[in-house]
């Protein structure tokens, strides 16, 4: 058996290697050697999975699981438990196996992994995989989100396989651009495994070609086919290459490749889903051959009909029949839909002997000016998209030479410009619109009121002549309106807003009664128009917030929020959240802020403004982190990534993934963080995004340093430093501090001090005073450790002054204990004792248990060794929750100090 396994180890994965290992299994069974049989079957599982015969692996792994149960403790379980992950996809690949049986096996894997204390992420990925491959995409989305929140474990798939699965999912969701972005680490060769990037390249060939990127598709084909050709476990990928040859008009090459695959599939024990792909590809190629009039095929495909058209029909029927069996079991049409797409592939370029028939292009009938204006006024999409829609509406109105339509479109353009903070341009558009809308008083009122608000926004003066002139014109137009109550209500709303704003920003709660009657009157006039009632509450909340009437503002914002909840409209929730969130934050109602942010995020996503949804998710991530709700913060960070992907903004998505990596770090899911950071830093370098590259490299340096990989920390730190120019003083300081710590950990105090001096030189250009203080304190600590306490004291004093000015009592006390250590290092023991005593008083008064323990220990070490003082310090550490290993180390230090003390006493 041993000789056969050694022989197999030197063979490539494929049918021959699998057959050799099967001989080893038979040899072990004949020798009745249970341990050898177990080892041989584990090798068989590995060989069969990667050699294109997964059903043999299914039998082998099931046998090994039975032996683990029959002989507890006899066999090493890790390898079998790793292979256990292969069983559910193998069972799913057999359409006669019910989904309940697949789920039962996943449940068995979960039971075993839970008992082993590992593998929660592997189980979650299995559930996502099953949902994805059965076409239940909504459920799969939730399962995907659940999986990516879990830390990697010893049963996790490799990173290359994880990325490949994410690419497959993005393609299933109809997002080829996002799929390509996710695939970048694979396509750049930064991550790989036995089957990747070969498999993922096959998945991407069709989508890349459909995106019109023919050269890129050809490059991927050339590279990918070399990786997968002849590998029986990657038949589906090879079939995609055959279809690429078909798309590009190379029918003989396409047929030659797909004929090889059909031969392999006809062997029997094979992955059924791969067989469907190969058979469907063969049908498409032989159908195209027939349609092109190429005549007989170069060779037959088994015992199937030789004529191309007849063969294509037989193959198509085979693929459809098998797909239907899967879909009946799965309860979806996913496999049949995939087969239909494969069967429909035809040459996109001319086949030499017979040009492919061209289809008549479909032409969208353009909307008229009114239709375009209606589309532009829908509150959907980003601010930029809404401006573009408004400009199209204006162009159409100008083309039709309709003055009223031009005025309405200009008002819409003006409002779109204001959303983008282009105030001067927006004001100019509104001025033109107001002039052109004389015959449409309802529209004119809206244009003039908005223009009046812009004038006050630009000047800060409610008595601004332009603003007042617009208000007077709006009043006059309101009297001509068909809906006079509505127009008068809108005018009254502006008057109420200005009545409050006239009080100035320092009015505070004294403004609570001002404008009450005007706002109430405006809402009464607007009673028949719910959308305008909502706007009235938002306007009152805004005005009262500006003047500092936070109680009145919160009451109005709450009324707006309740109105939005009743209406159920995303646009209402978005508007209400905008005025409510800052007020809740001011009151410190942070849990409520999280709740409203989540609702605002959903509203933005419903309205198609995915970047704004990403910003809301990012804010949620930060706030949840501050609240120490770290698992929720991780979920929110991933939501931001999703929104950026839907917006098609790769740069924003990359920064969002950095937030995900940092959330993983907080949760001590360091392998997950490392995977993301390693991919991101190279992606940023490829994109020329020096800021992102530097930020990620700094995070990598910190991660390497924490785990003692000092050389890697230094390399990443130096990389980060190269990314930041002199204008990025704060970033450079952070990098230099990290380098100083890495050099010190390496035992090179000279380099550590030099790095510290470098970041001190950068400090005058750092604006954040608290950060400056912490940099000074960090280097002062290093100087004390380097035996230069006299140089540390001025840095401590400067940092202390900042903390005192900020009222940071705990920071002052912690720093003072460090000052005491510096004084002790200078042999100023009485001064050190005095400062430490002051720190102890603060620690006891403020309930700072850890600081109290540190201070008691410090006093015990600088005074004459005394068992009582040491024991008091140890009790303080216990009360502060110090871990047992720290207590044991401190006890050993105490014993050494007391022993040394007794020695000295005897000598005296």
């Amino acid at each position: 058996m041993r000789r056969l396994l050694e022989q197999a180890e030197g063979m490539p994965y494929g049918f021959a290697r699998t057959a050799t290992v099967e001989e080893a299994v038979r040899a072990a069974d004949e020798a009745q050697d249970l341990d050898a049989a177990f080892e041989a079957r584990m090798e068989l599982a590995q060989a069969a999975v990667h050699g294109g015969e997964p059903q043999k692996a299914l039998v082998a792994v099931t046998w090994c699981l039975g032996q683990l149960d029959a002989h507890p403790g006899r066999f090493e379980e890790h390898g079998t438990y790793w292979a256990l992950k292969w069983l559910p996809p193998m069972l799913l690949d057999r359409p006669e196996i019910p989904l309940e049986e697949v789920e039962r096996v996943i449940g068995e894997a979960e039971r075993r992994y839970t008992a082993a204390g590992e593998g929660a992420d592997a189980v979650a990925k299995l559930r996502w995989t099953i949902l994805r491959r059965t076409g239940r995409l909504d459920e799969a989305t939730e399962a995907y989100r659940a999986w990516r929140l879990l830390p990697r474990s010893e049963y996790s798939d490799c990173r290359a396989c994880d990325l490949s699965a994410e690419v497959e999912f993005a393609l299933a969701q109809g997002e080829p651009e996002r799929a390509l972005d996710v695939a970048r680490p694979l396509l750049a060769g930064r991550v790989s495994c036995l089957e990747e990037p070969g498999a993922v390249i096959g998945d991407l060939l069709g989508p890349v070609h459909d995106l019109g990127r023919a050269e890129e598709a050809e490059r991927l084909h050339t590279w990918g086919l070399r990786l997968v050709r002849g590998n029986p476990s990657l038949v589906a990928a090879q079939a995609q290459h055959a279809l690429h040859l078909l798309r590009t008009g190379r029918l003989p090459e396409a047929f030659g490749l797909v004929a090889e695959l059909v031969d392999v599939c006809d062997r029997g024990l094979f992955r059924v889903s791969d067989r469907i792909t190969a058979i469907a590809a063969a049908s498409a190629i032989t159908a195209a051959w027939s349609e092109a009039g190429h005549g007989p095929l170069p060779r037959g495909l088994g015992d199937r009909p030789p004529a191309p058209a007849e063969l294509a029909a037989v193959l198509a029927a085979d693929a459809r029949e098998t797909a239907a069996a899967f879909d009946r079991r799965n309860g979806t049409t996913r496999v049949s839909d995939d087969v239909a797409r494969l069967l429909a592939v035809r040459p996109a370029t001319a086949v030499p002997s017979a040009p492919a028939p061209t289809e008549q292009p479909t032409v969208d009938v353009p909307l008229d000016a009114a239709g375009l204006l209606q589309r532009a006024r829908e509150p959907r999409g980003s601010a930029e998209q809404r401006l573009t829609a408004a400009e199209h509406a204006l162009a159409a109105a100008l083309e039709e030479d309709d003055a009223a339509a031009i005025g309405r479109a200009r008002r819409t353009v003006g409002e779109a410009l204001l959303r983008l903070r282009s105030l001067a341009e927006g004001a100019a558009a509104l001025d033109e619109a107001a002039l052109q809308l004389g015959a449409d008083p309802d529209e004119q009122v809206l244009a003039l009121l908005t223009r009046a608000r812009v004038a006050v926004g630009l000047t800060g003066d409610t008595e601004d002549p332009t603003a007042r002139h617009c208000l007077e014109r709006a009043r006059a137009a309101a009297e001509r309106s068909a809906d006079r109550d509505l127009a008068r209500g809108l005018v009254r709303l502006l008057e109420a807003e200005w009545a409050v704003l006239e009080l100035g920003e320092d009015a505070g709660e004294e403004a609570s009664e001002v404008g009450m009657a005007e706002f109430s009157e405006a809402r009464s006039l607007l009673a028949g128009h719910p959308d305008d009632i909502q706007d009235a509450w938002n306007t009152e909340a805004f005005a009262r917030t500006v003047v500092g009437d936070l109680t009145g503002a919160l009451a109005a914002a709450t009324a707006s929020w309740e109105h939005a909840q009743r209406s159920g409209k995303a646009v209402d929730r978005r508007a209400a959240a905008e005025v409510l969130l800052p007020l809740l934050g001011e009151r410190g109602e942070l849990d409520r802020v999280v709740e409203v942010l989540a609702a605002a995020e959903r509203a933005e996503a419903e309205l198609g403004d995915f970047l704004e949804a990403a910003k809301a998710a990012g804010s949620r991530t930060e706030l949840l982190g501050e609240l120490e709700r770290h698992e929720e913060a991780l979920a929110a960070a991933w939501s931001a990534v999703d929104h950026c992907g839907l917006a098609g903004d790769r740069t924003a998505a990359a920064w969002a993934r950095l937030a995900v990596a940092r959330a993983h770090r907080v949760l001590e899911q360091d392998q997950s963080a490392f995977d993301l950071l390693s991919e991101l830093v190279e992606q940023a370098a490829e994109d020329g995004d020096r800021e992102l590259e530097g930020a990620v490299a700094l995070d990598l340096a910190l991660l390497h340093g924490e785990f003692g990989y000092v050389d890697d920390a230094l390399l990443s730190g130096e990389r980060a430093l190269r990314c930041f120019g002199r204008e990025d003083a704060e970033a450079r300081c952070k990098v230099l501090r990290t380098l100083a710590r890495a050099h010190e950990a390496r035992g090179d105090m000279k380099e550590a001090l030099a790095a510290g001096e470098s970041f001190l030189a950068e400090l005058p250009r750092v604006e954040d005073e608290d950060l400056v203080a912490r940099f000074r304190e960090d280097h002062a600590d290093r100087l004390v450790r380097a035996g230069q306490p006299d140089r540390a004291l001025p840095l401590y004093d400067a940092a202390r002054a900042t903390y005192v000015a900020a009222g940071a009592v705990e920071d002052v006390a912690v720093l003072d204990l460090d000052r005491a250590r510096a004084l002790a290092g200078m042999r100023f023991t009485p001064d050190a004792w005095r400062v430490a005593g002051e720190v102890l008083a603060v620690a006891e008064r403020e309930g700072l248990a850890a600081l109290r323990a540190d201070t008691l220990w410090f006093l015990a070490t600088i005074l004459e060794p005394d068992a009582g003082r040491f024991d008091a310090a140890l009790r303080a550490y216990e009360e502060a929750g110090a871990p047992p290993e720290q207590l044991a180390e401190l006890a050993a230090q105490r014993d050494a100090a007391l022993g040394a003390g007794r020695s000295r006493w005897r000598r005296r």
Side-chain angles (χ1 to χ4, degrees), residues 151-387:
R152 292 179 65 77
S153 69
E154 62 182 77
Y155 294 115
S156 301
D157 287 342
C158 73
R159 185 60 183 156
C161 287
D162 282 350
L163 286 171
S164 181
E166 292 187 68
V167 170
E168 181 185 326
F169 190 40
L171 292 174
Q173 292 176 306
E175 299 177 36
E177 291 283 8
R178 184 164 71 86
L180 282 165
D181 191 40
V182 173
R184 289 178 67 181
L186 290 161
L187 300 182
R190 292 194 293 272
V191 293
S192 61
C193 67
L194 277 173
E195 297 186 350
E196 300 297 346
V200 83
I201 289 173
D203 290 337
L204 289 170
L205 283 172
V208 170
H209 190 277
D210 292 344
L211 288 170
R213 291 147 69 166
E215 290 186 9
E216 184 177 355
E218 183 63 21
R219 179 182 62 80
L220 289 173
H221 164 68
T222 303
W223 175 32
L225 188 56
R226 286 201 305 268
L227 294 176
V228 301
R229 191 156 194 171
N231 187 335
S233 71
L234 292 173
V235 163
Q238 294 174 71
Q240 294 292 353
H241 284 278
L243 289 171
H244 173 78
L245 291 167
L246 170 59
R247 287 187 195 93
T248 52
R250 291 172 281 184
L251 275 173
E253 294 95 327
F255 180 79
L257 175 55
V258 84
E260 294 176 15
L261 304 179
V262 172
D263 288 345
V264 171
C265 292
D266 286 346
R267 289 190 58 146
L269 290 175
F270 203 73
R271 189 177 290 124
V272 180
S273 55
D274 283 12
R275 181 181 181 279
I276 292 178
T277 304
I279 294 298
S283 175
I285 291 166
T286 51
W289 188 287
S290 174
E291 292 160 7
H294 274 308
L297 292 165
R299 50 163 286 196
L301 296 182
D303 57 0
R304 299 175 182 87
E310 191 178 352
L311 175 59
V314 168
L315 292 167
D318 185 347
R320 290 190 182 108
E321 181 181 351
T322 310
F326 275 112
D327 288 340
R328 282 193 298 273
R329 190 270 311 271
N330 299 339
T332 66
T333 62
R334 180 251 175 185
V335 183
S336 294
D337 293 343
D338 286 349
V339 166
R341 281 191 289 272
L342 296 173
L343 293 173
V345 175
R346 290 295 185 273
T349 56
V351 179
S353 62
T358 58
E359 298 179 1
Q360 291 297 320
T362 58
V363 180
D364 291 333
V365 178
L367 295 172
D368 60 9
L372 287 168
L373 182 61
Q374 181 180 352
R375 178 184 291 177
R377 288 186 171 181
E378 291 175 0
R380 294 193 58 78
S382 66
E384 292 82 358
Q385 290 169 333
R386 294 175 71 183
L387 174 59

Side-chain angles (χ1 to χ4, degrees), residues 488-512:
R488 285 175 174 173
L490 295 172
V491 170
R492 196 63 173 142
L493 182 59
L494 180 62
E495 292 169 344
E497 177 185 346
W498 285 0
V500 174
L501 293 177
E502 284 170 357
L503 299 175
E505 295 183 359
D506 299 324
E509 303 296 329
E510 296 177 7
S512 60

Side-chain angles (χ1 to χ4, degrees), residues 267-562:
R267 289 190 58 146
L269 290 175
F270 203 73
R271 189 177 290 124
V272 180
S273 55
D274 283 12
R275 181 181 181 279
I276 292 178
T277 304
I279 294 298
S283 175
I285 291 166
T286 51
W289 188 287
S290 174
E291 292 160 7
H294 274 308
L297 292 165
R299 50 163 286 196
L301 296 182
D303 57 0
R304 299 175 182 87
E310 191 178 352
L311 175 59
V314 168
L315 292 167
D318 185 347
R320 290 190 182 108
E321 181 181 351
T322 310
F326 275 112
D327 288 340
R328 282 193 298 273
R329 190 270 311 271
N330 299 339
T332 66
T333 62
R334 180 251 175 185
V335 183
S336 294
D337 293 343
D338 286 349
V339 166
R341 281 191 289 272
L342 296 173
L343 293 173
V345 175
R346 290 295 185 273
T349 56
V351 179
S353 62
T358 58
E359 298 179 1
Q360 291 297 320
T362 58
V363 180
D364 291 333
V365 178
L367 295 172
D368 60 9
L372 287 168
L373 182 61
Q374 181 180 352
R375 178 184 291 177
R377 288 186 171 181
E378 291 175 0
R380 294 193 58 78
S382 66
E384 292 82 358
Q385 290 169 333
R386 294 175 71 183
L387 174 59
T388 300
E391 288 172 338
H392 287 165
L394 177 58
L398 290 168
E399 182 72 24
E400 294 178 11
D401 196 23
D402 182 336
I406 292 170
R408 289 191 290 271
R410 280 200 197 283
R411 178 174 82 79
T412 309
V413 168
E415 291 177 347
L417 287 165
L418 297 182
R419 290 187 200 97
L420 290 168
R421 304 292 187 268
S422 300
L423 301 187
E425 295 175 60
L430 290 168
D431 284 336
E432 289 188 65
L435 290 172
Q436 293 164 332
L437 288 168
D440 189 343
D442 295 325
E443 287 278 337
Q444 189 178 45
V445 166
L446 294 171
L448 288 166
L449 293 177
T450 304
R451 179 65 180 92
R453 285 190 169 95
V454 173
V456 172
L458 289 169
T459 64
D461 182 9
T462 57
E463 296 298 326
D464 175 76
T466 300
R468 287 293 168 178
H469 178 62
C470 288
L471 177 58
E472 289 304 321
R473 291 173 63 195
R475 284 185 183 130
E479 296 306 313
R480 296 184 290 110
S481 170
D483 189 340
R484 196 173 299 175
D485 280 352
L486 171 60
R488 285 175 174 173
L490 295 172
V491 170
R492 196 63 173 142
L493 182 59
L494 180 62
E495 292 169 344
E497 177 185 346
W498 285 0
V500 174
L501 293 177
E502 284 170 357
L503 299 175
E505 295 183 359
D506 299 324
E509 303 296 329
E510 296 177 7
S512 60
E513 297 301 320
V514 177
M516 290 290 285
E518 291 90 338
F519 278 118
S520 180
E521 182 185 350
R523 286 193 292 272
S524 295
L525 290 166
L526 298 170
H529 303 275
D531 291 347
D532 294 299
I533 289 285
Q534 169 94 40
D535 187 52
W537 285 119
N538 291 338
T539 300
E540 182 173 359
F542 161 75
R544 295 195 183 283
T545 300
V546 171
V547 301
D549 176 15
L550 300 185
T551 301
L554 183 61
T558 301
S560 172
W561 184 253
E562 291 170 352

Side-chain angles (χ1 to χ4, degrees), residues 533-709:
I533 289 285
Q534 169 94 40
D535 187 52
W537 285 119
N538 291 338
T539 300
E540 182 173 359
F542 161 75
R544 295 195 183 283
T545 300
V546 171
V547 301
D549 176 15
L550 300 185
T551 301
L554 183 61
T558 301
S560 172
W561 184 253
E562 291 170 352
H563 185 283
Q565 296 298 92
R566 288 193 300 273
S567 79
K569 294 180 180 178
V571 66
D572 290 347
R573 293 198 305 276
R574 174 170 68 182
E578 189 174 347
V579 293
L580 181 59
L581 282 168
L583 293 165
L584 293 174
E586 186 71 25
R587 289 168 60 91
E589 297 183 28
L590 301 186
D591 289 323
R592 184 87 192 285
V593 172
V594 170
E595 187 181 310
V596 176
L597 272 172
E601 177 188 340
R602 290 192 296 272
E604 296 288 7
E606 286 177 39
L607 293 168
D609 196 344
F610 296 110
L611 282 182
E612 286 301 318
K615 290 176 185 176
S619 298
R620 238 179 1 111
T621 302
E622 293 178 14
L623 187 54
L624 287 164
E626 292 174 18
L627 294 170
E628 298 187 357
R629 292 161 58 180
H630 299 302
E631 290 84 0
E632 295 173 74
L634 177 60
W638 272 118
S639 291
V641 173
D642 291 341
H643 294 313
C644 292
L646 290 170
D649 191 328
R650 276 184 15 186
T651 300
W655 281 100
R657 282 199 288 271
L658 177 56
V660 169
R662 288 170 174 170
H664 278 303
R665 288 275 284 125
V666 172
L667 289 165
E668 298 183 353
Q669 298 172 1
D670 297 305
Q671 185 61 55
S672 299
F674 177 77
D675 289 341
L676 279 170
L677 292 172
S678 300
E679 293 159 16
L680 272 175
V681 74
E682 299 304 334
Q683 174 183 326
E686 291 168 5
D687 292 344
D689 189 337
R690 301 287 281 173
E691 182 183 4
L692 178 61
E693 183 184 356
V696 178
L698 175 56
D699 276 39
L700 274 172
L702 292 168
L703 184 58
H704 286 309
E706 184 173 321
F707 283 88
Y709 301 131

